[in-house]
Each structure stands twice: as structure tokens, then as C-alpha cells.
Amino acid sequence: MSKAKRKNSSSDKSGGSALGSSPSRISSPELRFEAQRAFVWAFVIGAIGLAIYISQSLLVIFGAMVFAAMIDGGARLLGRVLPIGRTWRVVAVLALAGAFFYWLVLFAGSQISREAAQLPSIVERQIGITFAWLQAQGFAVDINDIQNIAGNLLSGVGTLTRALGGIFGGLTTLLLITIIGIYLAMEPQLYERGVAWLFPRHRRAEFYSTASQMAYTMRRLMAGRLIGMVFEGLFTWVLLAWYGVPMAALLGILTGLLAFVPNLGALIAGSLMVLVGFSGGTEMGLYTIFVYFLVQTFDGYVLIPLIAKKTVDLAPAVVLTGQLIMGILFGVIGLFLADPMLAMLKVALERRAARHQAADDKLLEAESGS
């Protein structure tokens, strides 16, 4: 009887396991491992496709974070001299920024608008004179290519001159960046905790540390960028106006705005400055070249290193490559956000390398101790 009972019980167990197993279950460990790898690759490809599909929205969010970092840096700076709450300091920073742009719009409406209407014709005429001189010297230059390049350049200049109040282009995008950035600057800890909740509990301390370092780097980077913009715009304006260069105010504002984009911004601003300068004669053109190199040299070798060079040190070739790729993929907004995005990626990679190095050091200590 006992043997029969054991036989029946074993048959019940085998039947139960057969009934309980799923027909989609992969019994082979090797096949199950390969299926898991395929699922991971499918998930990664799907995530990349989703990121590309919503890339414009992601860039708007990142632009809002950059704007919030500017506001946060200004609020922290005011906190050193004004013993008031953070909310009031943020409001004060926004009020000062609004007053500046209000003055800029009023000034642009009276003087800059007239100069902006004349700038394309002056640039086009000077480009034609320059390439005519090159042809006279024996260089093979196609006039059609010249007109295409000039047309693209002037279209970009026209966009900048028409969008002095919104450097990212598009009032809707600028409005979204401004609103989201203000919300982020008002209560940064709230959104930081919300993002940290997405991570496992044992990884949250690591996230807070990385986010804090990113925020510090972004504040220093934006502080250097804003000070450079003000310096380049103001001194270009003053030096050009002192010599009597036409459109000094417009060139100063364009130089200040383009200073937000490293490398490319300085080249575009310098080209416009020199072209306008040579429209007034050789001496004026040489003077604009002197002003350009003077301002860029002081800003690049004296002003910026005192503020942000030790915080984020990006190779110029890497920055230029990132700007070209982001500009081709996402237009003006990608061009303006390429540098801050590269800085944040560098901080994340450096923190990750430091964690792995610390783990390796602990492992070596444990092995040497054993």
C-alpha cells in the first residue's frame, strides 16, 4: 500500500507540475538568457526611438533647467547681501531680468530696428566686394555659391535681429522654457525628490550627490556665460561707437547674444563686425578687427577663466562637434543648448568613473587585507 501511495503521489506531483507550467515558459537556461538579451535590446531601441520622437520636448525641458540654473545662481548671489526668503530673491531676479529686457525692447524699437533693416544690405555688398577682390587675385570663386552662402548667412542674421527678445527662436518655445524654468527655480528640491523617487532606494544618495554637482557646475557655467555676454556686448558697443563704426549698438547686442554660443558665436559676430567695419573704409575695418581680438582675448583668457574654467573644462573640438551635431538635428535651440548638455554629460561620466574607482580601491584593500 505504501508503494502504491508513493506512486500515486508522485504521479499527482508530476501531473500538477505539468498542469501548472506555462506553455510560453522557456525551460532551457541558454534560450532563456538569449530571450532576456533580446528583450533588453528591444527595450533600448524602443527607448531611443521614443527619445528621438519627443526630442524637441526634452530639449525644452533641458532649456528650462538651464534657465532655472541662471535664476538659482542669481538668487544665491542675492542671498549673500539680502537676508530675505528664497522666493522673494527669485522674484527679485525675475524682476531685474524683466526690466532689462523691457529696456532692450524699447531701445530696439527705436534705434536697433532701423540698423537691423540696413545690416543685410551692407553685409551682402561687402561680401560681393570681398569675393570680387579674390577673383581679381586669381582665385576661382563661383558667384552662385557666394550668393547661396550670403543668403544663408543673412537669413540667420535676420532671425537674430527679429528675435532679440527670444534667443531660442519661437515665442511659444521661449514661453514654455520661461514658465517651466520659473517653477523649477521656485522649488528645486520638490522636483529633485520626484526624480529621485524613480531610482532604487540604495541609489538615491548617489543621485542626490550627482545632481548637486551638476547644479553647481551649471550655475558656474551660466554665470561665466552671462558675464561674458554682458562684457562682450557692452565693450563692443562702446569701442565701436567711440570710433564711429556704423550700427555699433546692433553689433554690440548681436555680439552679446552670440557669446552664449562658444566658438561659433564669436566667429559669426566677428565676421559681421568686420564686414560692417570695412564698409566705412580700410582703417575702420582694421579697427574692428582690433576690437574683435581685444574683446575676445580678454574674455577668453582673463574673464572666463576666473569664473568657470576650473569648474568645467571642455575641449574646444568636442564643444564645436557637439554644436554642429545639435545644430543640424535640432536647429537654433540645439545649438544654444549643446554646451550645457556636454557639461552635464561630462559631470555624470566623471562621477560614474569616480564611483567605479572607489569600488576598485575597496576591492584591492579587501584582497590585500585577506
Side-chain angles (χ1 to χ4, degrees):
M1 293 294 295
S2 61
K3 291 182 178 180
K5 288 181 179 179
R6 285 196 298 270
K7 186 175 181 180
N8 292 332
S9 63
S10 62
S11 63
D12 293 340
K13 289 180 180 179
S14 62
S17 61
L19 292 174
S21 61
S22 172
S24 61
R25 183 178 183 273
I26 302 175
S27 59
S28 174
E30 292 81 5
L31 291 178
R32 189 161 55 246
F33 176 72
E34 293 298 329
Q36 290 174 352
R37 290 182 60 184
F39 174 77
V40 171
W41 277 109
F43 177 79
V44 170
I45 295 173
I48 293 174
L50 179 63
I52 294 174
Y53 182 73
I54 62 173
S55 57
Q56 294 291 341
S57 300
L58 294 177
L59 281 177
V60 170
I61 295 173
F62 183 74
M65 294 171 62
V66 174
F67 181 62
M70 297 180 186
I71 300 174
D72 183 57
R76 290 172 181 264
L77 188 62
L78 283 180
R80 298 180 180 181
V81 294
L82 293 178
I84 57 177
R86 175 182 172 81
T87 302
W88 290 108
R89 284 185 277 125
V90 170
V91 171
V93 171
L94 293 174
L96 291 174
F100 169 76
F101 281 106
Y102 178 74
W103 169 83
L104 184 62
V105 169
L106 289 182
F107 185 73
S110 59
Q111 180 176 351
I112 304 302
S113 59
R114 294 193 299 270
E115 296 181 354
Q118 302 172 5
L119 179 61
S121 60
I122 292 178
V123 173
E124 187 175 2
R125 184 172 64 253
Q126 290 302 115
I127 290 177
I129 294 173
T130 301
F131 282 100
W133 179 82
L134 291 176
Q135 287 178 338
Q137 302 302 317
F139 291 94
V141 182
D142 190 358
I143 191 64
N144 294 325
D145 295 336
I146 296 172
Q147 291 176 351
N148 292 333
I149 295 174
N152 293 332
L153 177 62
L154 292 176
S155 64
V157 173
T159 301
L160 285 173
T161 54
R162 288 192 302 268
L164 292 175
I167 59 177
F168 293 110
L171 294 178
T172 303
T173 302
L174 179 63
L175 182 62
L176 287 174
I177 289 175
T178 303
I179 294 174
I180 298 174
I182 291 174
Y183 278 119
L184 291 175
M186 286 290 185
E187 295 181 301
Q189 292 81 9
L190 174 64
Y191 302 98
E192 188 178 25
R193 289 195 301 268
V195 176
W197 180 80
L198 300 175
F199 289 85
R201 189 179 298 273
H202 65 281
R203 300 291 298 274
R204 292 177 185 176
E206 177 183 317
F207 164 76
Y208 281 120
S209 176
T210 303
S212 176
Q213 183 64 32
M214 283 184 171
Y216 173 77
T217 302
M218 182 68 77
R219 288 195 301 269
R220 293 292 298 270
L221 179 66
M222 291 299 103
R225 197 62 50 78
L226 289 175
I227 292 176
M229 290 172 65
V230 173
F231 168 80
E232 291 189 26
L234 182 61
F235 276 82
T236 299
W237 182 359
V238 171
L239 292 175
L240 294 181
W242 176 78
Y243 195 82
V245 177
M247 306 178 186
L250 176 62
L251 292 173
I253 292 175
L254 289 177
T255 301
L257 293 177
L258 290 170
F260 192 87
V261 184
N263 303 325
L264 288 178
L267 291 175
I268 296 173
S271 300
L272 294 175
M273 189 188 309
V274 172
L275 287 173
V276 174
F278 275 101
S279 68
T282 304
E283 293 184 359
M284 183 177 292
L286 294 176
Y287 177 76
T288 56
I289 295 176
F290 167 74
V291 171
Y292 170 74
F293 281 106
L294 176 65
V295 172
Q296 295 298 325
T297 300
F298 186 83
D299 181 64
Y301 290 95
V302 179
L303 190 63
I304 297 301
L306 294 176
I307 301 170
K309 188 174 179 60
K310 294 182 179 179
T311 302
V312 53
D313 188 11
L314 294 172
V318 175
V319 175
L320 184 58
T321 303
Q323 289 171 347
L324 292 176
I325 294 174
M326 293 290 291
I328 293 173
L329 292 177
F330 307 110
V332 177
I333 185 173
L335 183 64
F336 275 85
L337 296 179
D339 190 36
M341 186 174 294
L342 287 174
M344 296 301 98
L345 288 175
K346 183 182 179 184
V347 171
L349 293 176
E350 287 178 344
R351 298 288 298 180
R352 187 172 184 272
R355 290 194 302 269
H356 285 289
Q357 185 64 40
D360 293 340
D361 293 340
K362 289 182 180 179
L363 182 60
L364 290 176
E365 291 178 0
E367 291 178 352
S368 61
S370 61

